[in-house]
């Protein structure tokens, strides 16, 4: 049980958390405090774009640009929150990386994954299920029948969707599969396990996956020799067109947000923008928002990475965000403080109420902000938040020195605290890189649907990282080729990647890497057979599977091929079982390089001065910290040595898990949100644990908060190496 809020609890909160630690949006669905007056005009225009696409059979491209830190992702987060109030269906896509010819298919995969969610057993809670039912209600297709889940009502919905589909999908290519999802999900909610499998098969097909004979039969279709899948890009587009039209009929127009596309390589940008252009030209009721740093986006345009025709279509509406005024900067800080301290004011902690009456910027201080803004005409929101972060830390330092009563009595205290000792530039970069990698991996962990299992995405991420290491440093890697990037019409290659390494004895070793995320044994058969047959081009073969979400499934022919590979011995064949964290870590590494490339990664060095970190500096930090070598797949291809797999050997915590869950929920019951670190500090204090055990406690609290997030009890947001945790529904 939580203790009653007291002044001492307030002091503990000041010591243990910092509401200004996060200066960028990592989760558009989070509940971070926003100020409606900031960029109000741009937000109003963005909302109008969505409303226009909902009313008229048109599709609209919108380009959102501005300097780093000016608030682009915050604006998209506000749009997401606005849409969540029964207004639109916003899909946020970030770090979209695939080989150019499969880019559209990966966009579809990520979109359907986002709409359906990654937990197949609970599709009734998905946005896709909501859209289909609302479309039937809003169009009157059900002819007055109530939205119930009895067998007759489910059959009525099936017939209604078929009638509706005749108008928007005259070829009946997509609607029958959506009907399988709708009816399968409805029957599954009544306890029909086979119906749940039918809904899952429908989601796989809609995502662009290849189904085997068993899954195809669930959809009343037949699988050919190569399985059942969307045949080409036109078929992929058709699925997106039908989804957009259904969203419009449900009065929840579909909005695809492609954020920070300038983080991608030129080839990926060109492919993504070409597909976005085609979608906008041929779809109806669709909005595509492309966001990036202004300087980087203009360079992509002038360098013709984005063709003129594509630019004109995606930039049909241009929204440029500018810096904010000093008054707006103050409003941003007040908003964060209101969110952080309101719980103490509501619980009538007299000291907090009195201090906030004297100065709404307590514990930062209005006088402090006036000094910082002296002579400043405009600034980035990120700058104001960074200033506040440093000021909060200074107050934490003084509080630690003088104690709570004296700190409050003498507040705001001396203007300048002791100057911190100088820190080497490399150390600052390394610390920031490590924090952002943890943040990126945790963000994907909390939003698993945003990173669906995908072979080409895994191959592209791995190639992106290895290509920057070939022939450099202590790496044994000489070259790496992304074999899937060849022209169409040729036979499928045996491997996604082919790497050449030079051993210490001078021998050149060629390694083929195949990624396999097939949902069925049928899908695994041909890739495994191609690996077996590749006896001339490679010395070693590596099979990488998604052990957590798509463990290897084998039919008869697939098992024979797999057994043949295993007989080659461990020096010639390695099956590397990758968990979700391994996939997310690859994504986070690539994302960090992209942020540096688009000039959107900054550090503070020396104190009070901010500078951008270059891509070369990030790579150098990777090498200093052995971050690439820490990943089992990358290490295998950079060191020419076998990596032994293993599970998590960390012993379970010595605390009752249910007790930890109750601790988190109780603490959040009267606060708008807490950092996991602060929750851990309170927990450790109550348990009277030695400070040496704090890292263990912190890790335990974060894991428990992630579990509560997955179950829908709390909302957790990745912030550097920590989590910001809120009760669901609290703003």
């Amino acid at each position: 049980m939580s203790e009653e809020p007291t002044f001492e609890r307030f002091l503990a909160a000041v010591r243990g958390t910092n509401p200004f630690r996060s200066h960028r949006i990592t989760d558009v669905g989070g509940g971070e405090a926003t100020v409606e007056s900031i960029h109000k005009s741009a937000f109003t225009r963005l909302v109008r774009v969505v409303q226009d696409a909902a009313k008229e059979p048109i599709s609209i491209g919108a380009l959102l640009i501005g300097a780093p830190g000016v608030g682009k992702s915050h604006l998209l987060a506000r749009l997401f929150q606005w849409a969540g109030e029964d207004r639109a269906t916003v899909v946020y896509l970030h770090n979209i990386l695939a080989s150019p010819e499969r880019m559209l298919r990966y966009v579809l995969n990520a979109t359907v994954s986002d709409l359906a969610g990654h937990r197949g057993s609970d599709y009734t809670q998905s946005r896709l299920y909501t859209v289909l039912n609302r479309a039937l209600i809003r169009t009157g297709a059900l002819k007055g029948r109530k939205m119930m889940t009895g067998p007759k009502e489910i059959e009525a919905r099936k017939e209604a969707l078929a009638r509706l589909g005749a108008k928007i999908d005259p070829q009946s290519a997509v609607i029958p599969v959506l009907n399988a999802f709708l009816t399968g999900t409805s029957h599954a909610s009544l306890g029909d396990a086979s119906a749940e499998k039918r809904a899952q098969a429908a989601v796989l097909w809609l995502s662009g996956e290849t189904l085997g004979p068993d899954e195809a039969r669930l959809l009343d279709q037949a699988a050919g020799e190569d399985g059942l899948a969307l045949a080409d890009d036109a078929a992929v587009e058709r699925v997106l067109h039908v989804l957009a039209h259904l969203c419009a009929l449900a009065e929840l127009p579909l909005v695809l947000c492609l954020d920070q596309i300038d983080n991608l390589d030129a080839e990926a940008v060109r492919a993504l923008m070409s597909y976005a252009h085609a979608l906008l030209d041929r779809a109806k009721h669709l909005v595509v928002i492309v966001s990036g740093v202004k300087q980087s986006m203009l360079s992509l345009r002038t360098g013709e990475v984005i063709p003129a025709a594509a630019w004109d279509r995606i930039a049909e509406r241009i929204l440029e965000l500018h810096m904010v005024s000093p008054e707006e900067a103050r409003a941003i800080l007040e908003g964060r403080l209101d969110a952080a301290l309101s719980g103490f004011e509501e619980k009538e902690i007299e000291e907090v109420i009195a201090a906030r009456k004297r100065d709404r910027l307590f514990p930062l201080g209005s006088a402090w902000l006036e000094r910082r803004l002296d002579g400043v005409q405009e600034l980035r929101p990120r700058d104001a938040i960074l200033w506040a972060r440093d000021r909060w830390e200074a107050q934490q330092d003084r509080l630690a020195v003088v104690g709570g009563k004296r700190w409050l009595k003498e507040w705001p205290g001396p203007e300048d605290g002791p100057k911190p000792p100088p820190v080497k530039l490399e150390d600052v970069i390394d610390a920031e890189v490590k924090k952002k990698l943890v943040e990126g991996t945790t963000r994907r962990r909390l939003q698993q649907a945003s990173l669906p299992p995908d072979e080409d995405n895994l191959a592209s991420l791995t190639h992106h990282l290895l290509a920057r290491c070939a022939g450099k440093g202590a790496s044994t890697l000489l070259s790496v080729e992304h074999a899937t990037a060849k022209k169409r019409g040729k036979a499928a290659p045996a491997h996604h990647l082919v790497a050449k390494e030079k051993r210490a004895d001078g021998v050149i070793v060629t390694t083929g890497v195949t990624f396999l995320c097939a949902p069925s044994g049928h899908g695994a058969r041909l890739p495994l057979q191609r690996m077996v047959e590749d006896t001339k081009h490679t010395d070693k073969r590596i099979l990488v599977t998604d052990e957590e979400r798509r463990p290897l499934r084998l039919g008869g022919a697939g098992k024979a091929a797999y057994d043949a590979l295993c007989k080659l011995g461990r020096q010639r064949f390695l099956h590397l079982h990758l968990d979700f964290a391994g996939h997310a870590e690859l994504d986070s590494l690539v994302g960090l390089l992209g942020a540096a490339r688009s000039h959107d990664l900054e550090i503070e060095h020396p104190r009070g001065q901010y500078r951008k970190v270059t891509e070369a500096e990030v790579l150098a930090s990777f090498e200093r910290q052995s971050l690439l070598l820490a990943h089992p797949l990358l290490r295998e291809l950079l060191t020419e040595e076998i990596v032994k797999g293993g599970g998590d050997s960390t012993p379970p915590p010595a605390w009752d898990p249910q007790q930890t869950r109750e601790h988190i929920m109780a603490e959040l019951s009267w606060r708008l949100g807490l950092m996991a670190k602060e929750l851990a500090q309170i927990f450790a204090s109550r348990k009277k644990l030695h400070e040496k055990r704090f890292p263990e406690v912190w890790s335990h609290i974060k894991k428990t908060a992630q579990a509560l997030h997955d179950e829908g009890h709390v909302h957790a947001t990745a912030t550097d190496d920590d989590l910001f945790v809120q009760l669901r529904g609290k703003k």
Side-chain angles (χ1 to χ4, degrees):
M1 299 294 292
S2 65
E3 299 173 1
E4 280 299 312
T6 62
F7 179 56
E8 288 302 321
R9 289 295 306 279
F10 164 71
L11 295 176
V14 174
R15 294 187 188 99
T17 192
N18 188 334
F20 303 98
R21 188 176 178 186
S22 173
H23 57 80
R24 64 176 70 228
I25 287 290
T26 61
D27 173 13
V28 292
E32 186 172 292
T34 59
V35 180
E36 292 185 2
S37 61
I38 306 300
H39 301 314
K40 184 177 181 179
S41 175
F43 180 70
T44 301
R45 289 180 59 201
L46 202 54
V47 167
R48 191 175 299 124
V49 167
V50 178
Q51 293 171 334
D52 289 347
K55 296 174 184 176
E56 303 294 334
I58 58 174
S59 290
I60 304 174
L63 180 64
L64 179 61
I65 56 176
V70 80
K72 298 181 294 298
S73 294
H74 279 80
L75 194 71
L76 293 180
R78 285 176 60 189
L79 180 70
F80 191 94
Q81 293 163 9
W82 170 86
E85 297 173 4
D86 221 22
R87 288 165 171 155
T89 305
V90 178
V91 177
Y92 180 77
L93 303 176
H94 172 66
N95 206 25
I96 295 294
L97 189 61
S99 55
E101 66 272 19
R102 292 188 60 86
M103 184 67 77
L104 180 61
R105 196 171 290 260
Y106 185 66
V107 167
L108 175 67
N109 192 354
T111 299
V112 173
S113 177
D114 186 280
L115 293 177
H118 72 282
R119 290 185 287 273
S121 61
D122 198 17
Y123 285 137
T124 57
Q125 303 301 311
S126 70
R127 292 198 286 169
L128 181 58
Y129 189 70
T130 298
V131 164
L132 293 176
N133 284 307
R134 276 187 51 134
L136 298 178
I137 294 171
R138 297 301 170 94
T139 59
L142 278 178
K143 298 181 179 179
R145 281 187 177 269
K146 293 183 179 180
M147 191 58 63
M148 299 174 68
T149 56
K152 290 184 179 180
E153 287 76 19
I154 294 173
E155 185 63 25
R157 274 189 281 172
K158 178 181 178 180
E159 294 173 358
L161 183 56
R163 290 194 300 271
L164 191 62
K167 301 177 182 178
I168 63 177
D169 183 27
Q171 296 176 332
S172 292
V174 182
I175 288 295
V177 181
L178 285 169
N179 233 330
F181 170 81
L182 177 65
T183 58
T185 299
S186 300
H187 282 296
S189 69
L190 302 178
D192 186 341
S194 63
E196 183 179 314
K197 291 181 180 178
R198 186 165 70 252
Q200 291 172 344
V203 169
L204 290 171
W205 185 89
L206 291 165
S207 302
E209 300 275 13
T210 300
L211 304 186
D214 293 341
E215 292 85 0
R217 278 193 290 271
L218 291 171
L219 303 180
D220 297 322
Q221 300 191 46
E225 176 68 17
D226 295 333
L228 176 68
L230 298 171
D232 49 28
D233 285 346
V236 172
E237 278 192 29
R238 192 177 299 118
V239 175
L240 288 167
H241 295 172
V242 171
L243 289 174
H245 206 141
L246 284 168
C247 286
L249 293 176
E251 299 177 11
L252 295 169
L254 181 60
V255 182
L256 299 182
C257 291
L258 307 178
D259 193 17
Q260 299 177 355
I261 68 138
D262 45 335
N263 285 9
L264 304 176
D265 284 341
E267 283 190 5
V269 172
R270 185 180 290 109
L272 186 56
M273 292 300 94
S274 295
Y275 283 127
H277 180 195
L279 278 175
L280 288 167
D281 275 352
R282 292 191 277 267
K284 297 177 181 179
H285 304 292
L286 175 67
V287 176
V288 176
I289 302 172
V290 174
S291 174
V293 174
K294 179 181 179 180
Q295 179 183 350
S296 302
M297 293 299 298
L298 293 178
S299 295
L300 292 171
R301 171 64 191 95
T302 56
E304 298 186 350
V305 173
I306 302 178
W311 178 273
D312 291 342
R313 195 66 176 91
I314 64 174
E316 183 179 349
R317 311 276 180 93
I318 298 180
L319 298 90
E320 182 176 355
L321 300 190
H322 300 282
M323 293 193 284
V324 300
S325 68
E327 292 75 20
E328 290 173 319
R330 181 186 177 101
I332 291 171
L333 302 189
E334 285 184 355
R336 292 264 182 122
L337 288 171
D338 288 344
L341 303 180
S342 62
F344 295 102
E345 292 181 288
E346 289 172 2
K347 293 297 181 179
E348 299 183 354
I349 308 301
E350 294 181 4
E351 295 89 342
V352 179
I353 294 173
R356 293 269 285 164
K357 282 183 177 179
R358 291 201 316 270
D359 191 330
R360 202 63 192 166
L361 282 181
F362 172 82
L364 303 179
S366 295
W368 158 81
L369 183 60
E370 289 173 5
R371 290 193 298 273
R372 290 305 310 251
L373 291 172
D374 185 29
V376 175
Q377 301 299 316
E378 58 181 10
L379 68 160
R380 303 179 307 169
R382 182 181 295 177
D383 293 329
I385 294 171
L386 288 171
W387 293 349
R389 179 203 64 188
D390 294 345
R391 175 64 173 176
W392 189 282
E393 289 178 357
Q395 292 297 329
Q396 287 175 323
D397 292 342
R398 177 157 178 79
L399 177 59
V401 171
V402 303
K405 292 184 178 180
R406 181 179 168 188
W407 170 75
L408 184 62
K409 181 180 180 180
E410 298 179 355
W411 183 85
E415 289 188 11
D416 298 311
K419 291 186 178 180
V423 183
K424 290 173 57 178
L425 174 61
E426 290 183 350
D427 292 342
V428 176
I429 293 175
D430 288 351
E432 185 69 10
V433 164
K434 194 66 179 290
K435 284 191 301 183
K436 292 305 175 189
L437 286 179
V438 173
E439 178 183 283
T441 303
T442 304
R443 180 177 68 246
R444 291 297 199 185
R445 163 67 182 80
L446 295 169
Q447 307 161 36
Q448 285 196 34
S450 70
L451 189 66
D454 187 276
E455 296 157 5
D456 192 65
N457 175 253
L458 276 166
S460 298
L461 291 169
T462 305
H463 178 262
H464 189 101
L465 294 165
L466 292 177
R468 283 156 174 74
C469 302
K472 298 177 182 177
S475 167
T476 61
L477 184 67
L478 298 177
S479 66
V480 60
E481 177 188 1
H482 193 172
T484 56
K486 294 182 177 179
K487 295 181 179 179
R488 294 180 183 178
K490 293 187 177 182
H495 306 285
H496 291 98
L497 303 179
V498 177
K500 290 187 180 297
E501 297 176 80
K502 186 175 182 179
R503 289 195 323 218
D505 58 6
V507 174
I508 305 299
V509 177
T510 302
T511 302
V513 185
T514 297
F515 297 86
L516 194 51
C517 297
S520 68
H522 182 88
R525 176 177 59 87
L526 288 177
L528 290 173
Q529 288 178 343
R530 287 194 291 265
M531 289 184 74
V532 171
E533 294 164 1
D534 182 41
T535 59
K536 297 180 180 179
H537 305 100
T538 57
D539 304 297
K540 182 166 60 176
R541 281 157 271 191
I542 299 177
L543 174 66
V544 183
T545 57
D546 186 326
E547 183 69 14
E548 187 172 330
R549 297 178 294 173
R550 294 276 178 85
L552 184 61
R553 295 174 61 186
L554 298 172
K559 186 176 187 307
Y562 183 75
D563 289 344
L565 289 167
C566 291
K567 288 178 182 178
L568 295 174
R570 192 167 174 78
Q571 294 301 319
R572 297 177 61 197
F573 172 68
L574 172 65
H575 182 182
L576 203 158
H577 303 270
L578 201 64
D579 58 10
F580 178 78
H583 189 171
E585 188 177 345
L586 291 173
D587 177 83
S588 185
L589 287 162
V590 172
L592 192 54
L593 288 171
R597 188 183 313 115
S598 62
H599 313 293
D600 201 22
L601 181 65
E602 296 178 335
I603 58 167
E604 185 180 9
H605 188 272
R607 191 75 167 174
Q609 297 181 25
Y610 300 96
R611 68 180 292 273
K612 301 184 188 306
V613 182
T614 67
E615 189 174 5
E617 288 175 325
V618 172
L619 281 168
S621 179
F622 285 176
E623 185 173 356
R624 283 193 299 272
Q625 301 187 77
S626 298
L627 295 175
L628 299 184
L629 293 177
H631 193 282
L633 174 59
L634 299 178
R635 181 177 180 83
E636 173 62 30
L637 294 165
L638 292 171
T639 60
E640 183 43 29
E641 62 181 46
I642 299 294
V643 176
K644 296 181 180 180
D648 184 2
S649 60
T650 304
W655 311 290
D656 176 13
Q658 183 60 30
Q659 188 181 69
T660 310
R661 296 163 70 90
E662 291 174 355
H663 161 72
I664 292 173
M665 298 301 290
E667 290 301 318
L668 293 176
S669 65
W670 62 279
R671 295 283 296 278
L672 289 186
L674 287 166
M675 300 300 294
K677 193 170 188 177
E678 184 180 353
L679 285 164
Q681 288 169 333
I682 298 169
F683 187 85
S685 175
R686 290 205 185 117
K687 295 289 184 182
K688 296 181 171 55
L689 298 174
H690 193 279
E691 61 182 16
K692 289 183 178 180
R693 297 196 66 188
F694 182 75
E696 179 187 355
V697 178
W698 188 18
S699 176
H700 175 60
I701 290 290
K702 285 193 284 187
K703 288 181 180 179
T704 306
Q706 288 174 356
L708 289 169
H709 172 95
D710 289 343
E711 295 165 14
H713 300 302
V714 305
H715 188 96
T717 304
T719 304
D720 290 340
D721 55 352
D722 205 357
L723 293 175
F724 180 66
V725 191
Q726 300 168 287
L727 283 180
R728 286 282 183 183
K730 299 200 80 172
K731 299 292 183 182

